[in-house]
């Protein structure tokens, strides 16, 4: 089994609940994937909108300390991926990979110098907002019609210079299009689905997906019930296929990947956690998706993208 996932909140939950990454009752446990051939997980540091300024930065650093602690305690099977060549080396070693990401640019509280600290720590991707507004711009659930602030435009440039991917999940439509107009590197939506399939405002419109595709970017399918189905209590694994099918119909064969939103969302009953991934893989095959395409969705597209961008 090969699996590359663009988003989970597991490291945040390990910190808040005081539980280990190795074996736990969370959606993501290293024990679940112990026999998989290759497993790369992006571990997001989630900053809630109510934390601002130094409190947000302190939360970020607290969770990063947990991340490093878990890397040390699980060093025989897990390594941080933070630079060119890391992924190839890890695949040869047979260990799993951890990528540090940030969910909500409010973490650095309007201080552009903190982008350098993110780079030093090996952060490889950051959503500019969560659902609310911050110094960078307006998130998707915040009232208003604004997009990027002037500071936000500086952040996009600083991220691109630092090798940090701009993640447009959680962006308001206005912020999304502001970013699309000024970005010089590919866009990523690490955990977002198709609005044509499920109308939730967090999902991507056809035009947004095509803009990401045309930038050479990447989109990770989200497993949150409310993003999968307009009637969330009916959401199931089949809905993941429906969203994939729509994006693939738009030419997304080299764009689409998975970003489960593990430990940050309510999941369908038939997707209780990481253990559901082999079943999802088999479901794609039963739906007559070819093995080579399914391998790209579950691992290859994300791995190729990060290597192409000279990040891993």
């Amino acid at each position: 089994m090969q699996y590359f996932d663009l988003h989970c909140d597991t490291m945040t939950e390990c910190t808040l609940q005081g539980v280990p990454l190795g074996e736990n009752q969370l959606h993501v446990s290293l024990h679940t994937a112990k026999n998989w051939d290759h497993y790369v997980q992006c571990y997001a540091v989630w900053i809630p909108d109510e934390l601002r300024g130094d409190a947000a930065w302190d939360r970020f650093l607290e969770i990063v300390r947990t991340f490093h602690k878990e890397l040390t305690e699980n060093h025989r099977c897990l390594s941080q991926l933070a630079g060119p060549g890391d992924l190839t080396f890890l695949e040869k070693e047979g260990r799993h990979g951890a990528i540090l990401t940030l969910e909500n640019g409010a973490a650095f509280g309007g201080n552009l110098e903190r982008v350098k600290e993110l780079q030093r720590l090996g952060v490889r991707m950051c959503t500019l907002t969560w659902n609310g507004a911050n110094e960078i711009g307006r998130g998707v659930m915040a009232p208003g019609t604004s997009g990027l602030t002037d500071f936000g435009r500086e952040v996009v440039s600083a991220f691109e210079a630092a090798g940090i991917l701009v993640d447009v999940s959680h962006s308001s439509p206005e912020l999304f299009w502001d970013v699309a107009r000024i970005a010089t590197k590919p866009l990523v939506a690490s955990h977002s689905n198709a609005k044509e399939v499920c109308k939730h405002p967090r999902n991507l419109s056809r035009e947004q997906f095509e803009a990401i595709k045309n930038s050479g970017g990447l989109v990770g399918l989200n497993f949150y019930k409310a993003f999968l189905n307009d009637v969330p209590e009916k959401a199931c694994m089949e809905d993941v296929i429906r969203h994939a099918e729509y994006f693939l119909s738009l030419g997304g064969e080299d764009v689409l990947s998975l970003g489960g939103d593990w430990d940050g969302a309510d999941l369908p009953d038939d997707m209780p956690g990481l253990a559901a991934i082999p079943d999802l893989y088999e479901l794609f095959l039963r739906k007559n998706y070819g093995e080579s395409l399914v391998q790209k969705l579950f691992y290859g597209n994300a791995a190729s993208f990060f290597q192409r961008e000279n990040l891993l």
Side-chain angles (χ1 to χ4, degrees):
M1 181 76 218
Q2 295 188 96
Y3 183 55
F4 195 130
D5 187 280
L6 297 179
H7 188 85
C8 79
D9 292 291
T10 308
M11 204 61 67
T12 301
E13 289 303 306
C14 285
T15 303
L16 297 178
Q17 296 186 35
V19 298
L21 180 63
E23 191 164 2
N24 56 56
Q25 298 302 311
L26 300 174
H27 294 157
V28 171
S29 166
L30 292 180
H31 179 78
T32 304
K34 65 178 181 178
N35 295 320
W36 292 4
D37 297 322
H38 301 302
Y39 170 41
V40 176
Q41 180 67 60
C42 293
Y43 291 95
V45 176
W46 173 58
I47 306 298
D49 285 326
E50 61 267 24
L51 286 184
R52 307 305 293 269
D54 288 342
W57 184 247
D58 289 344
R59 170 64 63 86
F60 168 73
L61 294 177
E62 178 188 15
I63 297 170
V64 170
R65 285 193 291 271
T66 300
F67 178 76
H68 288 142
K69 174 176 174 285
E70 292 295 342
L71 288 172
T72 298
E73 293 183 356
N74 297 285
H75 68 277
R76 288 186 176 85
C77 67
L78 185 70
S79 291
Q80 182 177 7
L81 301 178
D86 283 0
L87 181 59
T88 299
F89 177 77
L90 204 70
E91 288 176 345
K92 290 179 180 177
E93 289 282 299
R95 287 182 290 165
H96 298 325
I99 299 174
L100 184 62
T101 70
L102 173 58
E103 186 172 28
N104 195 352
F108 48 95
N111 183 351
L112 200 63
E113 287 300 307
R114 283 178 171 163
V115 174
K116 295 179 182 177
E117 184 67 3
L118 301 185
Q119 182 185 33
R120 185 188 71 79
L121 291 168
V123 171
R124 283 292 165 261
M125 181 165 59
C126 177
T127 68
L128 300 179
T129 68
W130 194 53
N131 288 333
N134 63 27
E135 296 87 353
I136 294 171
R138 187 172 68 89
V140 68
M141 305 305 289
T145 58
S146 59
L148 276 176
T149 64
D150 290 340
F151 175 71
R153 295 173 190 276
E154 292 184 76
V155 168
V156 171
S157 296
F159 276 178
E160 291 190 334
I164 298 173
L165 296 167
V166 176
D167 185 348
V168 293
S169 287
H170 289 285
S171 297
S172 66
E174 293 83 1
L175 188 145
F176 177 98
W177 291 113
D178 283 348
V179 172
R181 278 188 287 270
I182 67 171
T184 62
K185 294 188 177 181
L187 304 176
V188 175
S190 65
H191 56 305
S192 294
N193 291 344
K195 195 171 289 184
E196 291 290 331
V197 179
C198 174
K199 296 180 178 62
H200 197 287
R202 261 283 279 110
N203 286 341
L204 298 170
S205 68
R206 174 180 182 143
E207 292 78 13
Q208 288 175 316
F209 179 81
E210 289 179 336
I212 295 170
K213 180 186 74 172
N214 292 338
S215 79
L218 196 64
V219 172
L221 291 175
N222 193 315
F223 304 151
Y224 180 32
K225 292 192 292 187
F227 300 166
L228 285 172
N229 195 307
D230 287 321
V231 184
E233 59 268 26
K234 294 185 178 180
C236 65
M237 196 179 288
E238 291 272 356
D239 290 313
V240 179
I241 303 288
R242 293 197 302 130
H243 286 270
E245 189 171 80
Y246 177 76
F247 283 143
L248 290 169
S249 76
L250 301 180
E253 179 176 339
D254 298 320
V255 180
L256 197 57
S257 57
L258 300 173
D261 211 353
W262 307 111
D263 293 305
D266 291 329
L267 303 182
D269 290 343
D270 59 352
M271 299 188 72
L274 203 61
I277 288 302
D279 293 334
L280 181 63
Y281 191 98
E282 290 301 317
L283 181 60
F284 270 95
L285 294 179
R286 291 201 304 273
K287 295 290 184 178
N288 295 317
Y289 290 90
E291 182 90 34
S292 61
L293 173 58
V294 179
Q295 287 179 346
K296 288 171 71 173
L297 301 185
F298 278 69
Y299 189 87
N301 282 343
S304 296
F305 174 83
F306 275 84
Q307 290 178 312
R308 189 166 64 246
E309 292 304 306
N310 206 34
L311 299 177
L312 300 182

